Amino acid sequence: MPRHLLMRVYAFIAENSHPGVDHERSGEPPSNDERLPRVSGFDWTVDDFLNLRRDNRPSSGRIVKVLDVLSAAPDSEFSTTRLAEAAGLTKGELSGGFSGFSRVCKNLRPGVALDWPIQWNYGPSSTGGQSGETYYWLPAALGERWKESGS
């Protein structure tokens, strides 16, 4: 699989894996974000960030650490390797946090498909042994909202 599609695959898995729920037997339809109004990641409010801080899932706790790092250097790109180190996470923990983040976003504002506030792209690796990796950053305006939510 091409590495540039990895985050999309993680998001798909997070959105479509519901442990312990058999949708056919429960009569519950599987979620379908395509029918929901989409809210841009740039439109996160202080309340959205507060709700994320209050969420007790392990993936939310990891994303809180990531947002703390990214908001301290808004608009600066962090490679996966550098971000994991700065947040005090292993690469596996970081991946797990991102994997569950799409599900968290679905629950923060019910009735809408809330995009990630964290921006990302794929580029050349900052470390040896791999050809490329994902880079993450938080726009300055969102970094300010994040910081305000922690006040």
Side-chain angles (χ1 to χ4, degrees), residues 95-137:
S95 292
F98 283 137
S99 179
F101 191 42
S102 293
R103 178 175 289 153
V104 170
C105 289
K106 286 168 58 172
N107 293 319
L108 290 178
R109 274 203 224 172
V112 300
L114 183 60
D115 289 338
W116 288 17
I118 299 168
Q119 305 300 299
W120 56 274
N121 64 32
Y122 191 76
S125 177
S126 63
T127 60
Q130 56 189 44
S131 61
E133 63 186 317
T134 305
Y135 290 77
Y136 303 91
W137 72 95

Side-chain angles (χ1 to χ4, degrees), residues 20-31 35:
V21 176
D22 182 343
H23 291 291
E24 290 181 27
R25 290 188 189 157
S26 70
E28 213 178 52
S31 69
R35 290 182 277 172

